[in-house]
Amino acid sequence: MTANEVLSPDFGEVETKPNPDEGLRQGLFEAQAARIVELQAEIASRQDEVDELKARILDSHPAGTYQAGDLKVQVKPGARRINAGTFEKAYPATKYPGAYQLRPRPLSQLEKLLSADAVADYAMSGKPMVVVS
């Protein structure tokens, strides 16, 4: 059929051929997703082993730097943070304003309070990601 010919009202004559590239693309997509799941399982398994080894080192060595063959192992104390809830009860902001800093609310709350358009110029986006479940 050429571009100048008119289709008959019976479109049954028109045969649509499946795009062979679409099948290949879908197969590749499925293989990529399956491989991601396999790798995530392997990473989780290895991460469990790493966590177990680190726990053993923490149990056997106090904070400090140690030589392990050609490797340097640092055992660091945990990061110190304030427990905001208990601190705020003991030192309320109204009595101790110098102990607090003013910060903008989370983006989702600002969008509800002001509007998405109003905060659009101030919003930042993180790196896009793929999640396979």
Side-chain angles (χ1 to χ4, degrees):
M1 176 178 283
T2 65
N4 293 332
E5 294 176 329
V6 178
L7 286 176
S8 67
D10 179 16
F11 291 105
E13 298 174 18
V14 179
E15 185 178 323
T16 58
K17 296 179 182 176
N19 183 350
D21 290 341
E22 186 60 35
L24 292 173
R25 289 179 64 209
Q26 182 63 27
L28 175 60
F29 182 66
E30 290 172 9
Q32 288 169 331
R35 183 67 177 144
I36 287 170
V37 170
E38 287 175 21
L39 290 171
Q40 286 173 329
E42 186 176 327
I43 288 168
S45 171
R46 291 180 184 260
Q47 187 61 53
D48 289 345
E49 183 178 354
V50 168
D51 293 343
E52 184 179 319
L53 291 168
K54 286 182 176 182
R56 289 181 186 171
I57 291 172
L58 288 171
D59 288 343
S60 63
H61 293 76
T65 301
Y66 304 91
Q67 201 63 36
D70 293 338
L71 303 172
K72 177 175 81 170
V73 178
Q74 291 181 302
V75 178
K76 298 180 178 183
R80 295 181 48 193
R81 292 181 289 281
I82 196 80
N83 181 329
T86 58
F87 182 82
E88 289 168 2
K89 288 178 184 172
Y91 297 92
T94 53
K95 283 188 171 181
Y96 302 91
Y100 294 86
Q101 60 185 11
L102 184 62
R103 308 182 84 161
R105 293 177 180 265
L107 178 60
S108 60
Q109 292 178 13
L110 291 173
E111 288 175 333
K112 289 177 186 172
L113 179 68
L114 303 171
S115 78
D117 291 338
V119 297
D121 290 340
Y122 310 103
M124 300 183 306
S125 293
K127 184 178 174 184
M129 65 173 140
V130 174
V131 178
V132 178
S133 54

